[in-house]
Amino acid sequence: MKDSGRLTAPGSLLKGAVLAPAGEDLGQLPDGSDSLADLAAQYGLRPSSARPGLLAYIGLVWQRRHFIAAYATARNVSMYTEARLGQLWQVLTPLLNSAVYYLIFGVLFKANRGIENYTAYLVTGVFIFAFTERSIVVGSTVMRANIALIRALYFPRACLPLAYVLVEFQQLVLSLVLQATFNVGAALIMARLGAGAQDISQLVPFLLRVWRYFCGVMYSIASLPATLPEWAKGVLSLNPAAVYISLTRYAIMETERANAPGAKPYNAAACHIFNVKKIPQLQAYCHPSITINELWVAGIGWAIVTLVVGVLYFWQAETRYGRG
């Protein structure tokens, strides 16, 4: 070895590896150095707890994109290794949930009124909401669950919630970019909240369970009773989970596009019959509470705003999680 000696101090090197000359007493400051800060500056060191700038931090996360993908894939593969059906449970679990919701809402509560092809409608809603639900739940526990890894190695802590969202994204057959973007931001926000208070992790599943019933997973928001004000239907339709569920249904279900309110010229008589008898095909003659263009605008807006807020919020707390 051409270079010998010891590292001058723990921390990140700004100018490559800097070694103290062999035999030098590190207990004394060399001539010309008035303080440890001057000595650190001389050798290009910075405090190990210093938070990098936002753009630099995003760059560090991008540099570890292969780690994020490999970590997510490894967790995805290991998740069901001890189960006989293995990866099949990724599909079986939401399908079983869909069957339960079908019996409760479709058979008992007749929520299938006004919906053509209710089975596909329900399964799509369950799959899409489950993606967001699991992303937020794991985001609220990811920092505490991986504290050993955090203390052992140094890497941008945002890699963990990103990897966990990627696990959920791999389990969803359809590539839903906007929803994945929203989920990344939500997971980053919950990762910071969950790291500071364990009660948050206990409360999140309950709040998500309530949220599930307000976003049209098991029923059609447009088919709700006509006595419900239009503004209330609009609020329900524009909540982020409902937006992404609706966009996916419109994309993969022809009946949803054909029967969507506003798909045909307004007809007061036909719309009145729909409100009374809930015949799916007549819904197309009603005025829409929210148009498909408004859904796209809402979907893009929710994705961008949540991602930006999540990145900034998590980046501000990066140094709280310690270094390896």
Side-chain angles (χ1 to χ4, degrees):
M1 292 180 61
K2 294 183 180 179
D3 295 321
S4 61
R6 293 172 291 174
L7 289 175
T8 54
S12 301
L13 295 175
L14 298 178
K15 302 178 181 179
V18 180
L19 301 177
E24 181 175 314
D25 186 0
L26 297 181
Q28 298 179 354
L29 295 177
D31 295 338
S33 297
D34 298 329
S35 66
L36 289 175
D38 293 336
L39 181 61
Q42 178 182 348
Y43 287 101
L45 297 176
R46 63 183 178 188
S48 61
S49 60
R51 181 179 62 205
L54 178 59
L55 293 179
Y57 185 71
I58 295 175
L60 290 174
V61 174
W62 173 250
Q63 290 174 8
R64 288 157 176 83
R65 60 191 182 279
H66 301 298
F67 163 75
I68 295 173
Y71 183 77
T73 301
R75 285 199 59 86
N76 195 24
V77 171
S78 64
M79 191 174 298
Y80 301 103
T81 52
E82 296 183 0
R84 289 192 176 185
L85 296 180
Q87 301 298 310
L88 191 59
W89 280 110
Q90 297 178 5
V91 177
L92 283 179
T93 299
L95 285 179
L96 291 173
N97 287 335
S98 299
V100 173
Y101 294 141
Y102 183 87
L103 290 175
I104 295 175
F105 292 93
V107 177
L108 296 180
F109 294 142
K110 303 297 181 182
N112 57 347
R113 296 182 64 202
I115 303 173
E116 188 175 359
N117 197 358
Y118 180 70
T119 301
Y121 185 93
L122 176 64
V123 170
T124 302
V126 170
F127 268 83
I128 302 308
F129 186 83
F131 181 28
T132 293
E133 180 182 38
R134 291 195 301 264
S135 297
I136 294 177
V137 168
V138 299
S140 68
T141 61
V142 62
M143 305 310 295
R144 290 182 288 103
N146 291 275
I147 192 64
L149 179 62
I150 289 174
R151 289 173 176 170
L153 300 172
Y154 171 68
F155 55 90
R157 307 314 182 208
C159 291
L160 290 174
L162 288 175
Y164 274 73
V165 171
L166 188 56
V167 170
E168 304 303 333
F169 190 62
Q170 290 176 342
Q171 294 184 16
L172 191 66
V173 178
L174 196 60
S175 297
L176 302 170
V177 177
L178 284 180
Q179 189 187 9
T181 304
F182 170 84
N183 289 352
V184 166
L188 287 169
I189 293 172
M190 297 309 302
R192 176 172 175 181
L193 292 175
Q198 188 172 357
D199 292 340
I200 295 294
S201 303
Q202 304 299 323
L203 186 61
V204 163
F206 170 76
L207 295 178
L208 288 170
R209 197 173 301 117
V210 174
W211 189 16
R212 181 193 299 271
Y213 299 117
F214 283 92
C215 57
V217 174
M218 291 77 69
Y219 59 89
S220 170
I221 295 176
S223 298
L224 289 174
T227 54
L228 187 68
E230 286 299 314
W231 67 263
K233 292 183 180 180
V235 170
L236 292 176
S237 299
L238 288 177
N239 89 71
V243 167
Y244 298 124
I245 290 172
S246 297
L247 289 176
T248 304
R249 284 170 173 160
Y250 286 143
I252 66 177
M253 295 180 63
E254 183 180 357
T255 54
E256 277 300 292
R257 296 191 297 272
N259 299 334
K264 296 180 180 179
Y266 176 73
N267 185 305
C271 186
H272 176 73
I273 295 174
F274 168 76
N275 288 326
V276 174
K277 297 186 177 182
K278 301 300 181 183
I279 300 175
Q281 293 81 1
L282 297 182
Q283 183 179 225
Y285 294 98
C286 298
H287 286 309
S289 300
I290 299 295
T291 66
I292 184 63
N293 289 336
E294 291 172 333
L295 283 177
W296 276 111
V297 172
I300 294 172
W302 278 119
I304 293 175
V305 170
T306 307
L307 180 64
V308 171
V309 172
V311 169
L312 292 175
Y313 188 58
F314 191 91
W315 166 70
Q316 291 178 346
E318 166 70 14
T319 56
R320 297 184 182 182
Y321 307 129
R323 289 180 177 268

